[in-house]
Amino acid sequence: MDPKMAGHETEGPRMNPLLEMDRATVEFGGLRAVSELDLTLRQGELVGLIGPNGAGKTTVFNLITGVYQPTSGDIRFEGRSVAGRKPYQITARGVARTFQNIRLFGSLSVFDNVRAAFNIHLHHGISHALWRGPGFDREEREVETMAEELLEIFHLDHLRDAECTALPYGDQRRLEIVRALATRPKLLLLDEPAAGMNPTEKGELMRLIRFTQEKFDLAVLLVEHDMRVVMGICERIAVLDYGVKIAEGAPEAIRNDRKVIEAYLGE
Amino acid sequence: MNRPKTCFLLFVALIAALAPFQSAINPYYFNILISIGINIILGVGLNLVTGYTGQFSLGHAGFMAVGAYLSGSVTVFLAPRWLPALGGGAAGETALFLLALIAGGLGAGLAGLAVGVPSLRLKGDYLAIVTLGFAEIIRVILQNMEIVGGPRGLSIPIRPTGLFGTYLAAALTVYVVVLLVHSTYGRGFLTVRDDEIAAEAMGINSTKYKVIAFVVAAFFAGIAGGLYAHFIQFITPEGFGYLKSVDIVVIVILGGMGNTPGVILAAILLTILPEGLRVMSGWEFLPDAVRGIVKNRMILYSLLLIILMLTRPQGLFSSGGKWTQKWRAMKRRGRA
Ligand SMILES: Nc1ncnc2c1ncn2[C@@H]1O[C@H](COP(=O)(O)OP(=O)(O)OP(=O)(O)O)[C@@H](O)[C@H]1O
Ligand SMILES: [Mg+2]
């Protein structure tokens, strides 16, 4: 075979997995919160991660984003291990997340929450902030436009100057997604984005997740308790129970999986 | 030319125009004016660390000490040799003073880096204790350095600190802090204060921001120390003890964390307050208990802070006030 061709093939974005969790394990004291987890995401995939309370879903997010270090196993993003990297370095590589217990920047306006997340993409650093030449102004305007565009997609543009803590719950969750998107991720991790939303908001959220995933060609890993949401938009679903992956497959197969049903009934 | 730069230059022009009249000011008021300027530099600088970045530092006087002693030493030891070379006279003195100030600022900034890098991993009370310890170490070192007079102190032969220099430095501090914070880059400081975990998750290197805040504040504290040394003309290690650090922290808290205009007002208020209290403690008709409290600044500060925390936890001059909201609304309308 032509070696050039072969090289081409393996370099193709849809061929290489974006995220590979390889027997990733984390222990807290004696508790194995995540146990030998294998999970792979390709570019542009929308995968659900479900499981009963305390199954270890949020811990998986904390492992991928470097908040926790795996005690054994490995996690690779675009083929390179993220072990030992700090959260901000992993974000710079293209992983962004939202938080189950909303963690917005409480003293900042809606706009500033998004603006702050553009930080890693600034070409101009501290000296430009002080000198304020034309390059600085141009870049600030660019950031402003991009932030406003993102807010508009999520129907938050009219709240631009509001204090983010004054927003209703659902708006705060959507603002967290906007803020995560501002870092221009390749992989977006959503931790229960529909929690606290009413059915209309949930429907709208599903549409928005689909839309942004296609628009920005994102891979999305979605943790969500609302089965209608997960089954409605995910191509593939992985199920965790006590830190162990007990099933993985298409929504239809998961719905009828005996182990999954037991895990949820035993709750 | 953009607005912040224009404001800054206008202010510099204003103080330059007023500076020739400083000799007409009564020495007592002159003294207060210079102290206000120095306290503005210290307060606004510390506000970047504590107010905007949320790192509680109790050692700001330590950086002031580094700046005061370093710049004082430059003047004391280099003046006899360099002053003739710099052409002597007022111009030479000014040049040497500038050099001394910059040396003091850079030295303090370096100290800030040396303290900040290892200690900024610590949070809350631990960081406060480490910074407090740092300032104490500086004080003890100075006490044992015979070359700068040890516990007896160091006298500085010249007194070049004037209104222009002091308020130029104060304006520069305000300019740097305000411009740093009011940019996409500078929003990073606030995110670290609001939620460090979320900040890191958004790609913000929180350690870097903390260290930058620390170094910038230390640099300006060093400049403030230099101005102070060349004004008071006699410095002792005791003058930079932990009570001085507390004074600066009180300015920041009273002004409202992360509220630069508030901190400037608080610096003015807290510089004038002791003077007013001194007058009050002389009033014979006041009961002894009241005069006792009035004589002890620290008791009064404690009471003031307790009352403040109960009634206005966001600071005396908070940004949530009526006028700021009106101003914001105006700006918004202007943009739309
Ligand atoms: N830092 C920690 N220290 C000790 N135990 C932890 C830590 N983080 C998580 N755990 C434990 O790990 C287990 C998994 O928690 P995790 O938050 O990942 O669950 P989850 O699947 O997200 O649950 P939920 O649906 O309630 O959000 C729990 O038993 C939890 O107590
Ligand atoms: Mg969770």
Side-chain angles (χ1 to χ4, degrees), chain A residues 9 15 20 36 40 52 54 59 75 93 111-112 167 192 230 249:
Chain A
E9 237 174 59
M15 299 306 296
E20 292 167 274
E36 310 215 323
T40 303
T59 307
I75 299 164
R93 281 206 207 163
F111 171 70
D112 271 352
L167 260 48
E192 306 202 12
V230 182

Side-chain angles (χ1 to χ4, degrees), chain A residues 28 31 33 51-60 68 100 192 225:
Chain A
F28 300 112
L31 176 83
N53 286 109
K57 306 177 294 292
T58 300
T59 307
V60 168
Y68 301 149
Q100 184 174 353
E192 306 202 12
H225 276 297

Side-chain angles (χ1 to χ4, degrees), chain A residues 64-85:
Chain A
I64 299 172
T65 53
V67 177
Y68 301 149
Q69 294 297 325
T71 33
S72 69
D74 196 14
I75 299 164
R76 286 181 293 276
F77 186 70
E78 295 186 312
R80 283 154 65 210
S81 174
V82 299
R85 300 287 110 193

Side-chain angles (χ1 to χ4, degrees), chain A residues 87-88 91 97 99 103 105-108 112 115-116 119-120 122 126 129-132 140 160-161 183, chain B residues 2 5 175-176 179-180 182-185 187 190-191 193-195 198-201 203-205 209 332 335:
Chain A
Y88 78 89
T91 307
R97 71 177 291 182
F99 293 90
R103 279 178 174 270
F105 302 125
S107 73
L108 300 187
D112 271 352
R115 176 155 85 121
N119 220 292
I120 29 174
L122 291 179
I126 187 164
L130 289 178
W131 181 244
R132 309 234 151 166
E140 291 287 295
R160 184 188 190 281
D161 293 313
T183 67
Chain B
N2 47 23
K5 265 194 226 166
Y175 178 83
V176 166
L179 261 63
L180 260 190
H182 289 275
S183 62
T184 301
Y185 178 86
R187 292 288 101 174
L190 310 193
T191 65
R193 170 189 72 185
D194 282 0
D195 191 327
E200 289 262 327
I204 286 160
N205 181 348
Y209 274 95
R332 219 168 305 151
R335 190 165 45 220

